[in-house]
Amino acid sequence: MKFFNLLKERAAEGVKIKLSVDRFGGNDMSRTLVNDLKKNGVEFTFSRKASMQHFFYSINYRNHRKFVVVDGQEAYLGGFNIGEEYLGNHKKLGYWRDYHLRIKGEGVFEIEQQFLKDWEEDTGQHLSPQHVHTSDSNRVNYQLLFSTGEELEQKVITLINCARTKLTIATPYFIPSERLMDALISAKEKGVSIDILLPDNTDAWFTKPPSYPKTEKLLSKDIRIFLYEKVFFTEK
């Protein structure tokens, strides 16, 4: 409740706050809590609400993005969820390692633009980014990939194919498709050094058995695989 109280306090001070919550991940948010946030000036929506016509598909077609944009000037994105269990208090996994980034500058525009695109999809409300994007602004040395899933595999393969010296991959679940496996092996054969970091423990046990033959094949190609042993980590 500390987080929600802070949002209400800032809204009372005149800060415009938009909160979009994954309906599946936020299923314990009561109607009373949501109405209280709205009553206190927090604009709220559940993202990608389930459709009764295609229920099981729609609950998996989730918006699992996690980012915060502040005044169009600063942004945070990565894997951190908001909850006590992600502060090291998870009953099963305990310590929870995650990756989150703080971004300032030109990259904030892309993040805010994506949030507003998602907001319009869920609410029908069209808004313009606060951050002014100019093509001749300082260029950034990173690339952000926002995807609904369909084209993500090809984007990742393209990035792998562009690698010249080093690839570092960290993921909580590793069940790559054959196309991704071929891309990794091809990159290694071209002389690219590849390191893959995986958790030794996971919150989804059923993802581990299918990964064993994948990791075994990559190890046979001299691709290095490391296990994170301090309980669990995620990243998005």
Side-chain angles (χ1 to χ4, degrees), residues 4-107:
F4 297 124
N5 289 336
L6 181 59
L7 292 182
K8 291 188 291 185
E9 289 174 14
R10 296 314 312 274
E13 294 169 2
V15 177
K16 295 180 180 179
I17 298 176
K18 291 179 173 58
L19 177 61
S20 176
V21 176
D22 170 16
R23 189 67 176 92
F24 187 83
N27 60 5
D28 58 346
M29 288 187 66
S30 66
R31 181 173 298 180
T32 300
L33 174 58
V34 172
N35 289 338
D36 183 53
L37 289 170
K38 292 179 177 179
K39 184 178 69 175
N40 284 277
V42 177
E43 295 184 65
F44 179 91
T45 184
F46 280 117
S47 64
R48 296 200 178 143
K49 302 176 183 68
S51 166
M52 295 308 297
Q53 185 176 3
H54 305 288
F55 181 73
F56 291 105
Y57 171 80
S58 63
I59 62 174
N60 284 288
Y61 188 64
R62 298 161 56 193
N63 182 345
H64 206 49
R65 290 188 258 271
K66 303 160 192 174
F67 42 58
V68 177
V69 180
V70 182
D71 295 335
Q73 302 296 319
E74 186 172 339
Y76 298 82
L77 80 163
F80 269 119
N81 293 303
I82 297 173
E84 290 291 333
E85 63 269 38
Y86 305 104
L87 299 177
N89 298 325
H90 195 286
K91 292 181 180 179
K92 175 185 176 183
L93 298 173
Y95 183 84
W96 189 288
R97 170 68 181 175
D98 220 318
Y99 297 93
H100 223 68
L101 304 176
R102 177 191 183 194
I103 291 181
K104 300 183 73 174
E106 194 63 18

Side-chain angles (χ1 to χ4, degrees), residues 99 168-172 195-199 224-228 233:
Y99 297 93
T168 302
I169 299 171
T171 177
D195 290 341
I196 300 174
L197 176 64
L198 308 174
R224 301 196 305 175
I225 297 177
F226 299 87
L227 291 179
Y228 182 81
F233 80 87

Side-chain angles (χ1 to χ4, degrees), residues 34 39 137 139-140 152 154 156 159 164 174 199 206 215 234:
V34 172
K39 184 178 69 175
S137 297
R139 300 184 65 181
V140 296
L152 181 59
Q154 184 54 52
V156 173
L159 290 174
R164 294 293 177 263
F174 189 69
F206 50 85
T215 54
T234 63

